[in-house]
Amino acid sequence: NNNDNGSQTATLEFNAGQYFDIKGGKWYTSLDDVPEVSAASTDRYLVGSFNGWSTIANEFMSEDGLVGYVELELEANTTYEFKVIREGKWTSCKTTLSITDSASGLVFSSGVSDNTTLTTKSAGTYVFTFGLSTSQLSVTYP
């Protein structure tokens, strides 16, 4: 629970002989299967109902220092609520999305208190792209 400093995973069931990836929020049967982190940390996190509102599970990782990425496996026909934590501050965009392929240009601000809502049409990998200086989010379903 990060020594009672506010960030904590959801309650996890222990899986004997498996390894938990805190950044990706998944269990793996082999340590070799846990993804390597080759990109730089950004201090910006995608936080929502898809990860139990964990404030550390899905950090936007960046190769160039300009744009950060998070990839999530999401279920079909499901509504998720989320926000972005930017340098320790909760930010949001008062928008409701229904994704069939992509949405872009969503500006996140600490002045917005409502959660952003995303309703998926298909199951699969959704890519969340966050402009680190612009605070603009794009969501793509390939």
Side-chain angles (χ1 to χ4, degrees), residues 50-68:
F50 41 72
N51 65 10
W53 295 95
S54 170
T55 58
I56 58 171
N58 297 105
E59 183 171 10
F60 286 98
M61 302 304 286
S62 175
E63 295 285 347
D64 61 8
L66 301 173
V67 178

Side-chain angles (χ1 to χ4, degrees), residues 22 30 37 43 53 57 66 80 94 99 103 109 129-130 132-133:
I22 189 68
S30 168
V37 177
D43 196 28
W53 295 95
L66 301 173
Y80 298 94
K94 190 175 182 179
I99 298 289
S109 164
T129 306
F130 193 71
L132 302 179
S133 63

Side-chain angles (χ1 to χ4, degrees), residues 5 11 36 76 111 138 141:
N5 286 324
T11 301
E36 290 185 27
S138 297
Y141 174 74

